[in-house]
Short mmCIF file of all heavy atoms in Angstrom, two decimals:
data_model
loop_
_atom_site.label_atom_id
_atom_site.label_comp_id
_atom_site.label_asym_id
_atom_site.label_seq_id
_atom_site.Cartn_x
_atom_site.Cartn_y
_atom_site.Cartn_z
N LEU A 1 7.28 12.36 18.25
CA LEU A 1 6.62 13.59 17.89
C LEU A 1 6.41 13.63 16.38
O LEU A 1 7.25 13.15 15.61
CB LEU A 1 7.44 14.80 18.31
CG LEU A 1 7.84 14.89 19.78
CD1 LEU A 1 8.57 16.20 20.04
CD2 LEU A 1 6.62 14.75 20.68
N SER A 2 5.30 14.20 15.96
CA SER A 2 5.00 14.35 14.54
C SER A 2 4.85 15.83 14.20
O SER A 2 4.41 16.62 15.03
CB SER A 2 3.71 13.62 14.18
OG SER A 2 3.82 12.23 14.42
N CYS A 3 5.22 16.17 12.98
CA CYS A 3 5.05 17.52 12.47
C CYS A 3 4.32 17.43 11.15
O CYS A 3 4.87 16.93 10.16
CB CYS A 3 6.42 18.19 12.29
SG CYS A 3 6.38 19.83 11.55
N ALA A 4 3.08 17.88 11.13
CA ALA A 4 2.28 17.90 9.91
C ALA A 4 2.47 19.24 9.22
O ALA A 4 2.38 20.29 9.85
CB ALA A 4 0.81 17.67 10.25
N THR A 5 2.74 19.19 7.92
CA THR A 5 3.01 20.41 7.17
C THR A 5 1.99 20.61 6.06
O THR A 5 1.42 19.65 5.54
CB THR A 5 4.42 20.40 6.55
OG1 THR A 5 4.47 19.48 5.45
CG2 THR A 5 5.46 20.00 7.58
N SER A 6 1.78 21.85 5.69
CA SER A 6 0.91 22.19 4.58
C SER A 6 1.42 23.46 3.93
O SER A 6 2.21 24.20 4.51
CB SER A 6 -0.54 22.36 5.04
OG SER A 6 -0.66 23.40 5.99
N GLY A 7 0.96 23.72 2.71
CA GLY A 7 1.43 24.88 1.97
C GLY A 7 2.39 24.46 0.88
O GLY A 7 2.04 23.62 0.05
N ARG A 8 3.59 25.00 0.89
CA ARG A 8 4.58 24.66 -0.12
C ARG A 8 5.08 23.23 0.05
O ARG A 8 4.99 22.66 1.14
CB ARG A 8 5.76 25.64 -0.06
CG ARG A 8 5.37 27.07 -0.40
CD ARG A 8 4.99 27.18 -1.87
NE ARG A 8 4.53 28.54 -2.18
CZ ARG A 8 3.25 28.91 -2.19
NH1 ARG A 8 2.30 28.04 -1.89
NH2 ARG A 8 2.94 30.16 -2.49
N THR A 9 5.62 22.67 -1.02
CA THR A 9 6.10 21.29 -1.02
C THR A 9 7.15 21.08 0.05
O THR A 9 8.14 21.80 0.12
CB THR A 9 6.66 20.93 -2.39
OG1 THR A 9 5.68 21.17 -3.40
CG2 THR A 9 7.08 19.47 -2.44
N LEU A 10 6.94 20.06 0.90
CA LEU A 10 7.84 19.80 2.02
C LEU A 10 9.26 19.54 1.56
O LEU A 10 10.21 19.93 2.24
CB LEU A 10 7.32 18.63 2.84
CG LEU A 10 8.18 18.22 4.04
CD1 LEU A 10 8.33 19.37 5.01
CD2 LEU A 10 7.59 16.99 4.71
N SER A 11 9.44 18.90 0.41
CA SER A 11 10.77 18.55 -0.07
C SER A 11 11.64 19.77 -0.34
O SER A 11 12.86 19.64 -0.48
CB SER A 11 10.68 17.69 -1.33
OG SER A 11 10.04 18.40 -2.39
N MET A 12 11.07 20.95 -0.41
CA MET A 12 11.82 22.18 -0.64
C MET A 12 12.58 22.65 0.59
O MET A 12 13.45 23.52 0.48
CB MET A 12 10.89 23.30 -1.10
CG MET A 12 10.21 23.06 -2.43
SD MET A 12 9.04 24.38 -2.83
CE MET A 12 10.11 25.81 -2.87
N TYR A 13 12.27 22.10 1.76
CA TYR A 13 12.80 22.63 3.02
C TYR A 13 13.66 21.64 3.78
O TYR A 13 13.42 20.44 3.78
CB TYR A 13 11.64 23.05 3.93
CG TYR A 13 10.77 24.13 3.36
CD1 TYR A 13 9.58 23.82 2.72
CD2 TYR A 13 11.15 25.46 3.47
CE1 TYR A 13 8.78 24.82 2.19
CE2 TYR A 13 10.35 26.46 2.94
CZ TYR A 13 9.18 26.14 2.31
OH TYR A 13 8.38 27.13 1.79
N ALA A 14 14.67 22.20 4.45
CA ALA A 14 15.33 21.49 5.53
C ALA A 14 14.47 21.67 6.78
O ALA A 14 13.85 22.72 6.98
CB ALA A 14 16.73 22.04 5.77
N MET A 15 14.42 20.65 7.63
CA MET A 15 13.57 20.68 8.81
C MET A 15 14.39 20.51 10.08
O MET A 15 15.28 19.66 10.14
CB MET A 15 12.52 19.58 8.74
CG MET A 15 11.63 19.64 7.50
SD MET A 15 10.62 21.14 7.42
CE MET A 15 9.57 20.91 8.86
N GLY A 16 14.07 21.30 11.07
CA GLY A 16 14.75 21.21 12.35
C GLY A 16 13.78 20.98 13.48
O GLY A 16 12.61 21.35 13.40
N TRP A 17 14.27 20.34 14.54
CA TRP A 17 13.55 20.24 15.80
C TRP A 17 14.30 21.06 16.84
O TRP A 17 15.50 20.89 17.02
CB TRP A 17 13.42 18.79 16.26
CG TRP A 17 12.41 17.99 15.48
CD1 TRP A 17 12.65 17.17 14.42
CD2 TRP A 17 11.00 17.95 15.72
NE1 TRP A 17 11.47 16.62 13.97
CE2 TRP A 17 10.44 17.08 14.76
CE3 TRP A 17 10.15 18.56 16.65
CZ2 TRP A 17 9.07 16.81 14.70
CZ3 TRP A 17 8.79 18.29 16.59
CH2 TRP A 17 8.27 17.43 15.62
N ILE A 18 13.59 21.96 17.49
CA ILE A 18 14.15 22.87 18.48
C ILE A 18 13.33 22.76 19.74
O ILE A 18 12.11 22.62 19.68
CB ILE A 18 14.16 24.33 17.95
CG1 ILE A 18 15.07 24.47 16.73
CG2 ILE A 18 14.57 25.30 19.04
CD1 ILE A 18 14.37 24.29 15.41
N ARG A 19 13.97 22.81 20.91
CA ARG A 19 13.24 22.72 22.17
C ARG A 19 13.55 23.90 23.07
O ARG A 19 14.60 24.54 22.95
CB ARG A 19 13.55 21.41 22.90
CG ARG A 19 14.99 21.28 23.39
CD ARG A 19 15.24 19.87 23.92
NE ARG A 19 16.60 19.71 24.41
CZ ARG A 19 17.11 18.55 24.79
NH1 ARG A 19 16.38 17.44 24.73
NH2 ARG A 19 18.37 18.49 25.23
N GLN A 20 12.63 24.19 23.99
CA GLN A 20 12.81 25.26 24.95
C GLN A 20 12.31 24.80 26.31
O GLN A 20 11.12 24.54 26.49
CB GLN A 20 12.08 26.52 24.51
CG GLN A 20 12.34 27.72 25.42
CD GLN A 20 11.82 29.01 24.84
OE1 GLN A 20 10.80 29.03 24.15
NE2 GLN A 20 12.51 30.10 25.11
N ALA A 21 13.23 24.72 27.26
CA ALA A 21 12.89 24.40 28.64
C ALA A 21 12.53 25.68 29.38
O ALA A 21 12.96 26.77 28.98
CB ALA A 21 14.06 23.70 29.33
N PRO A 22 11.76 25.59 30.46
CA PRO A 22 11.37 26.80 31.21
C PRO A 22 12.59 27.60 31.66
O PRO A 22 13.53 27.05 32.22
CB PRO A 22 10.61 26.24 32.41
CG PRO A 22 10.06 24.94 31.93
CD PRO A 22 11.13 24.38 31.02
N GLY A 23 12.57 28.90 31.39
CA GLY A 23 13.66 29.78 31.80
C GLY A 23 14.90 29.71 30.94
O GLY A 23 15.89 30.39 31.26
N LYS A 24 14.89 28.93 29.88
CA LYS A 24 16.06 28.79 29.02
C LYS A 24 15.75 29.25 27.60
O LYS A 24 14.60 29.36 27.20
CB LYS A 24 16.54 27.33 29.00
CG LYS A 24 17.06 26.82 30.33
CD LYS A 24 17.65 25.44 30.18
CE LYS A 24 18.23 24.94 31.48
NZ LYS A 24 18.84 23.58 31.32
N GLU A 25 16.81 29.52 26.84
CA GLU A 25 16.67 29.89 25.44
C GLU A 25 16.35 28.67 24.60
O GLU A 25 16.58 27.53 25.00
CB GLU A 25 17.94 30.56 24.92
CG GLU A 25 18.27 31.87 25.59
CD GLU A 25 19.49 32.54 25.00
OE1 GLU A 25 20.23 31.87 24.25
OE2 GLU A 25 19.70 33.73 25.26
#
């Protein structure tokens, strides 16, 4: 999976990957 970012400098942020299955949080 790829995440393309724009706006503020990416190096300023920590990045997370989060998932959601049907019917779950």
Side-chain angles (χ1 to χ4, degrees):
L1 305 184
S2 299
C3 176
T5 73
S6 61
R8 296 292 176 265
T9 304
L10 179 59
S11 62
M12 296 176 61
Y13 299 98
M15 303 296 296
W17 285 96
I18 295 93
R19 66 188 181 187
Q20 185 169 33
K24 295 186 177 181
E25 296 183 346

